[in-house]
Amino acid sequence: MQICTVVDIAKSVGASRILRGFAITCPVGNPSVDEKDEKAYRRKYVEKALQMLEHPGERAHVESLG
Amino acid sequence: MKLQIETIRIKDFQFGASTEYRDGTLYVSRGDILDFVRQESCFDPEAFNIAIARPGDSVRIINVVDVVQPRCKVSGGIDWPGVLSEEQQIAGSGVTRVVEGVGLTLCQNNTYWSRKWGSYDMNGECAAINPYARMPQLVIEPLTSADTDFRAYREAVRRVGFRIGVLLARATLGTVPERVELLDNENRVPGLPGIAYSYQIYSKQYDTHNYREPMVYGNAVPDTFPLVMQPTEIMDGAISPCGGFRCVTTYEIQNHPIIMELMRRHGKDLNFAGVIVTVTSVEAKHRSLVAKMAASLLREVLGADGVILTKGVGGASTLDVGAIASEAEKIGIRAVPIIQILNGKSNLGVECLISEPNVDSIVCSGTYYHNFTLAPVETLLGGPKDALYLSGDDGVIEGHRIATGDPAVGQVRSTYMKQVGLMSQIGYSYGKAVDY
Amino acid sequence: MGGKKWRVVCYVNQFYAQIGGEDKAGVGFGVKEEAIGPAIQFRNLLKDDCEVVGTVYCGDNYFADNAEKSAEEGLALVAALKPDLFIAGPAFNAGRYGIACGNMVSLVARKLGIPTVTAMYPENPAVDLFRKDTYIVETGIMASGMRDAAPKMAGIGLRLLKKEPIGGAVAEGYIPRDIILNEEQPDNAAHRAIEMVLHKLRGEPFSSELLPPVFDEVAPAEAVGDVKKIKLAMVTDGGLIPEDNPDRLKPNGSTTWGHYDWDTLMENRHFVIHSGYDGTWVMENPNRLLPIDVLREVAAEGKLGELDSEVYVATGNCASVEASRTKGEQIAARLKERAVQAVILTST
């Protein structure tokens, strides 16, 4: 599975489990909040990513954090 | 097998009191044509339109099913064996007289039995690139009653057209030909590559009511396996279409561009190894066997080092020539298929219907769907004055009846494949598909 | 045209607007009522018939973070300059810049109904998304291709303004727009075929007029089942590597990759070699690129079977598809050797 921000690129090369990342310069984080909150935020990405791995992939399908 | 062709090029073509060739002008008598019409029980001589269309005229010819070049046997052979005769004879030897500078255009007026999308204009954008619009055309439009059997009608149209062609060629026999050419590939020159031709003559995918066109010596074409035929035989009367236009005309087969060029280069930079004839497969099992048999014949019987392949109209036909080309390449025969694109809104990178990666030498003679908008014309031939024009394939619905379209005499939308003369399945045309 | 000239507006990113590099990629939209950067070339090439009345610019990250909204914002700025022709880029192989140029030309063409031209390297991911909407002139992979691309772009733009025909994609140097037309050749198809087969037999070069399609169909990998029972690895194209760069990755167009033990990587000096994004945030906390901190916690809680101790790092910037495919195959082979069953890949 792939976490990225410019999802159109991932779609065009045939990726099948795409999760929209936070920013180009920071795929799994959020520098505007404090360290503890940022880690909690990152955990959401990781848990979502693991969950996507457990489910069938679909070409060019994109998911986002709630 | 050797064939001598002797050619005369006429300067003008006119109606006359009698059919004759005089001072460079070929005259045709309406009476002689109507004599042929009277031989066909399904035609009424009173309802048989005959006209001459000339280059540059504001003329649109619709319902075109064939274009024929006037030719006749000089040496006593049968003209169009199996079509104009009950007796069979193998065509392709002796001497044949060829008349250049005029064509016969056969139309199927007021019938709804076939895909009738063949048409062409004598002036305008398409005429500028159409060989048939560069010579006077004798256009025949036989009308018939609605209860006539369509098979009888189609075959009668072809017979009348072919008889006129023979008549016109015979009228020139008193004149010494300008050009004589011997087509002969009997002896091979050692050291030159052997080039064969794989000719898919027929696809039944557009048959009307399962009518198999009597294309081979007047016989219907079955789902056959590959046949070996003589190149001169093919162009001298063995094969001719009979029915709806399928992007190849009798004129093109008579002047078959692959056979002619291979013959002319035979013994110079190649040996013309011969021809195999195939038909389109409808089943994968048949396709697979035909491909292997064709490749085997090319190598074991014809001794070919290379092969040119052509197809009939449609997508399934492309799969077949792709399969033959691939099998040929596998056993060391270099293969070049000539195919077309079936889409106009795409790119060449994804539109090649041949999928075998070892077929990497392909000529593309264009897309069917290069569109034209053609200006209104003064004169409409080949159909009633109020006939509708079939745009692409969309006019043939509900049991092949014309249902939609703009008035054919007005501005019409047409496509490259609909324009008889622009798209030749057997390599006679000059177009090539290009990405835009 | 007499005294009146067509009005041309250009679009460039923060780099070509001379605002700055990746550190300024977050800069928002701006307008200069003159030709700047590549627009100066268009001004010179088109000077007889056109006037470049303005250059709209925007930072690549600002644009790409919400491309749709950014394009609307840019459109308003372009429209205010009342252009007759809109030229974006060239973007070469820059992914985000390509997305920006593509979105801009597409929206301007649709909303303002004027001719548009841009230019990119054929493998720029934006090409496939926008080639049907505009003319995308083909460029080289790097900015040095500007000299070739600019006259082609200007030529197409000018003829679109004059309503003169544009030829085929190869002849004109643009990327196919999914229109196929026929062109009459000097020789018929029969002659071309015979020549081709003879060339092939003699082993001489020939040019096939069509080739069997090569579809890059990637079937989705099967679901892994229960993640509590699998070994997972982290892969990234974000270019975070040891300072001595043992695998010789390049800032862009890289053809190599590396695998590094995470703790060793972190304990020693490391940096972001990728020149296509600003690495400040990742350097502050590398877990923002590779979320090893969280993954270790999850594994310790038993919610993930095992985490590979190594991370796998490539540089995605301006990489060709061919080179990327090769790198992908090499990385996959290494992962298989190490019995990895699933991967999370992060992209910048």
Side-chain angles (χ1 to χ4, degrees):
Chain A
M1 73 83 45
Q2 182 173 4
I3 303 175
C4 62
T5 305
V6 189
V7 295
D8 283 341
I9 296 179
K11 285 163 78 170
S12 75
V13 297
S16 54
R17 290 180 180 86
I18 306 166
L19 175 59
R20 200 182 292 274
F22 174 76
I24 291 165
T25 52
C26 177
V28 279
N30 183 349
S32 57
V33 298
D34 69 42
E35 204 176 318
K36 186 164 151 281
D37 285 354
E38 187 184 1
K39 194 169 174 190
Y41 197 65
R42 179 154 54 248
R43 182 156 179 140
K44 285 187 187 168
Y45 280 106
V46 168
E47 284 173 350
K48 180 76 183 173
L50 294 175
Q51 184 197 334
M52 286 172 76
L53 284 169
E54 285 183 332
H55 287 85
E58 185 188 335
R59 194 185 152 91
H61 180 70
V62 181
E63 298 227 20
S64 301
L65 282 191
Chain B
M1 191 178 281
K2 286 193 275 260
L3 176 69
Q4 184 170 307
I5 51 174
E6 47 172 62
T7 304
I8 187 159
R9 181 162 191 89
I10 64 165
K11 292 187 183 69
D12 197 6
F13 181 70
Q14 298 284 349
F15 286 118
S18 61
T19 301
E20 60 179 329
Y21 180 60
R22 202 173 63 233
D23 302 328
T25 299
L26 183 59
Y27 297 90
V28 64
S29 147
R30 286 176 187 269
D32 287 342
I33 295 173
L34 293 178
D35 283 345
F36 294 140
V37 171
R38 284 187 198 95
Q39 292 177 30
E40 303 296 342
S41 58
C42 63
F43 294 152
D44 173 2
E46 302 303 313
F48 197 98
N49 299 328
I50 309 165
I52 296 176
R54 296 177 188 285
D57 285 356
S58 178
V59 170
R60 175 164 301 141
I61 313 170
I62 61 170
N63 298 326
V64 177
V65 292
D66 205 2
V67 181
V68 182
Q69 184 176 48
R71 289 188 176 211
C72 70
K73 294 306 291 181
V74 179
S75 51
I78 298 174
D79 290 297
W80 299 107
V83 175
L84 299 186
S85 70
E86 281 303 308
E87 190 189 338
Q88 289 291 6
Q89 184 184 68
I90 297 301
S93 57
V95 182
T96 294
R97 168 64 62 107
V98 177
V99 179
E100 280 184 2
V102 63
L104 304 166
T105 297
L106 315 186
C107 305
Q108 287 183 1
N109 195 343
N110 81 342
T111 67
Y112 302 114
W113 301 314
S114 57
R115 292 160 60 90
K116 308 196 308 170
W117 35 252
S119 79
Y120 68 97
D121 288 9
M122 294 303 283
N123 73 346
E125 183 185 0
C126 290
I129 54 172
N130 188 337
Y132 302 137
R134 281 183 221 128
M135 61 180 88
Q137 292 285 342
L138 180 67
V139 182
I140 66 165
E141 250 178 88
L143 286 89
T144 189
S145 59
D147 58 354
T148 304
D149 180 78
F150 78 90
R151 302 165 191 85
Y153 175 82
R154 281 183 171 194
E155 288 167 33
V157 172
R158 179 168 68 169
R159 273 194 298 272
V160 169
F162 284 10
R163 285 198 171 109
I164 298 170
V166 172
L167 174 77
L168 292 176
R170 282 188 184 153
T172 72
L173 285 178
T175 306
V176 176
E178 290 152 38
R179 218 167 62 229
V180 177
E181 193 171 2
L182 184 66
L183 307 180
D184 175 7
N185 69 332
E186 286 183 359
N187 298 309
R188 294 197 185 188
V189 175
L192 297 180
I195 308 297
Y197 171 43
S198 177
Y199 182 12
Q200 185 191 72
I201 58 167
Y202 189 68
S203 164
K204 70 174 181 182
Q205 65 202 103
Y206 299 125
D207 282 352
T208 304
H209 301 322
N210 208 26
Y211 168 65
R212 313 303 298 272
E213 278 182 57
M215 279 186 67
V216 181
Y217 292 103
N219 280 250
V221 182
D223 288 330
T224 187
F225 298 113
L227 308 169
V228 174
M229 285 181 80
Q230 296 304 311
T232 53
E233 182 185 8
I234 287 165
M235 54 186 293
D236 197 42
I239 292 177
S240 61
C242 182
F245 171 63
R246 295 164 190 259
C247 295
V248 63
T249 65
T250 296
Y251 192 104
E252 289 155 25
I253 298 170
Q254 292 171 307
N255 290 276
H256 200 302
I258 295 167
I259 293 176
M260 285 302 290
E261 182 163 342
L262 290 174
M263 277 292 188
R264 284 170 177 161
R265 294 172 75 160
H266 175 82
K268 298 188 176 72
D269 61 351
L270 55 84
N271 287 314
F272 188 0
V275 181
I276 59 167
V277 166
T278 66
V279 299
T280 299
S281 303
V282 285
E283 289 167 0
K285 196 175 176 188
H286 184 255
R287 175 178 307 127
S288 161
L289 178 59
V290 167
K292 286 185 192 318
M293 287 179 80
S296 170
L297 287 176
L298 287 168
R299 186 171 70 180
E300 308 300 338
V301 177
L302 302 184
D305 302 301
V307 61
I308 311 296
L309 304 99
T310 63
K311 58 177 279 280
V313 66
S317 310
T318 316
L319 304 183
D320 293 317
V321 296
I324 298 172
S326 181
E327 291 297 333
E329 287 277 355
K330 280 183 202 166
I331 59 172
I333 300 169
R334 298 289 159 248
V336 176
I338 301 175
I339 64 173
Q340 295 79 38
I341 301 288
L342 278 60
N343 195 346
K345 293 189 181 67
S346 183
N347 66 80
L348 298 179
V350 297
E351 283 300 322
C352 178
L353 282 180
I354 293 178
S355 57
E356 292 87 349
N358 67 339
V359 184
D360 58 359
S361 44
I362 299 172
V363 166
C364 176
S365 62
T367 170
Y368 292 155
Y369 295 103
H370 178 122
N371 297 321
F372 299 99
T373 301
L374 301 174
V377 289
E378 287 166 16
T379 308
L380 188 68
L381 297 177
K385 302 295 166 236
D386 58 352
L388 298 179
Y389 195 80
L390 305 187
S391 309
D393 295 336
D394 61 5
V396 189
I397 58 171
E398 287 187 78
H400 299 275
R401 282 184 182 275
I402 297 172
T404 62
D406 298 320
V409 76
Q411 176 179 296
V412 296
R413 295 263 295 156
S414 189
T415 65
Y416 205 84
M417 79 183 303
K418 256 193 74 127
Q419 291 287 311
V420 179
L422 295 200
M423 169 73 80
S424 167
Q425 300 286 350
I426 61 172
Y428 196 72
S429 54
Y430 286 72
K432 173 183 159 184
V434 174
D435 274 321
Y436 270 73
Chain C
M1 283 300 284
K4 191 173 179 300
K5 290 184 172 182
W6 279 299
R7 295 169 67 84
V8 178
V9 171
C10 297
Y11 175 85
V12 299
N13 70 358
Q14 86 285 349
F15 178 76
Y16 289 101
Q18 287 128 31
I19 307 283
E22 278 306 325
D23 53 325
K24 299 288 184 191
V27 164
F29 274 94
V31 181
K32 294 224 171 118
E33 293 201 354
E34 58 176 331
I36 55 172
I40 292 167
Q41 288 207 40
F42 297 125
R43 184 187 68 197
N44 296 339
L45 286 161
L46 294 166
K47 63 178 185 297
D48 292 343
D49 304 279
C50 308
E51 187 186 353
V52 175
V53 295
T55 310
V56 173
Y57 63 86
C58 180
D60 282 337
N61 286 353
Y62 182 92
F63 199 108
D65 275 343
N66 192 340
E68 219 168 285
K69 190 170 148 281
S70 301
E72 291 287 352
E73 195 181 340
L75 173 70
L77 299 174
V78 172
L81 292 163
K82 297 189 173 25
D84 300 303
L85 169 68
F86 180 65
I87 303 176
F92 307 102
N93 201 27
R96 291 161 296 150
Y97 191 20
I99 292 286
C101 289
N103 273 289
M104 285 304 298
V105 291
S106 179
L107 194 65
V108 165
R110 212 163 59 237
K111 290 288 169 69
L112 304 186
I114 61 167
T116 61
V117 188
T118 184
M120 296 177 202
Y121 181 62
E123 289 184 10
N124 190 311
V127 163
D128 248 12
L129 301 171
F130 298 105
R131 65 191 166 81
K132 293 180 207 168
D133 301 341
T134 187
Y135 285 94
I136 304 180
V137 167
E138 185 173 333
T139 70
I141 200 160
M142 308 297 270
S144 53
M146 183 67 191
R147 196 184 294 268
D148 291 333
K152 291 178 194 166
M153 295 170 74
I156 289 172
L158 187 60
R159 276 176 293 148
L160 289 171
L161 283 169
K162 292 180 173 175
K163 298 192 177 359
E164 290 174 2
I166 309 294
V170 172
E172 297 274 1
Y174 63 87
I175 289 160
R177 309 170 68 217
D178 270 11
I179 298 167
I180 301 173
L181 294 175
N182 297 330
E183 289 181 357
E184 301 299 298
Q185 305 297 306
D187 298 310
N188 65 22
H191 180 77
R192 305 202 305 268
I194 293 168
E195 286 299 307
M196 194 181 288
V197 81
L198 289 174
H199 277 83
K200 195 173 190 184
L201 274 165
R202 293 193 288 249
E204 294 165 358
F206 63 90
S207 176
S208 184
E209 297 177 7
L210 208 54
L211 283 172
V214 184
F215 286 114
D216 202 14
E217 279 295 326
V218 185
E222 281 182 34
V224 295
D226 187 351
V227 290
K228 289 199 268 305
K229 295 173 182 156
I230 61 155
K231 181 173 179 183
L232 179 99
M234 280 304 308
V235 182
T236 186
D237 60 23
L240 178 70
I241 59 168
E243 193 174 76
D244 61 353
N245 191 6
D247 299 298
R248 294 207 224 172
L249 273 69
K250 288 193 288 180
N252 58 22
S254 187
T255 55
T256 57
W257 60 281
H259 55 95
Y260 310 109
D261 179 82
W262 179 254
D263 292 326
T264 314
L265 181 66
M266 290 300 103
E267 284 156 17
N268 296 284
R269 293 177 69 88
H270 52 265
F271 75 118
V272 171
I273 191 169
H274 194 301
S275 67
Y277 78 104
D278 184 70
T280 310
W281 285 352
V282 169
M283 285 303 288
E284 272 177 25
N285 183 356
N287 289 296
R288 288 170 177 159
L289 181 65
L290 294 161
I292 303 296
D293 55 351
V294 172
L295 282 165
R296 284 183 174 168
E297 281 181 14
V298 171
E301 292 162 18
K303 291 175 182 161
L304 169 66
E306 187 190 347
L307 177 67
D308 195 341
S309 58
E310 284 191 352
V311 296
Y312 303 79
V313 182
T315 307
N317 194 22
C318 297
S320 80
V321 171
E322 260 322 296
S324 299
R325 185 177 290 122
T326 306
K327 282 185 280 184
E329 284 164 3
Q330 291 167 351
I331 294 172
R334 169 88 187 173
L335 292 166
K336 281 201 143 179
E337 270 174 35
R338 291 170 65 85
V340 171
Q341 291 149 285
V343 157
I344 296 175
L345 183 134
T346 57
S347 292
T348 53

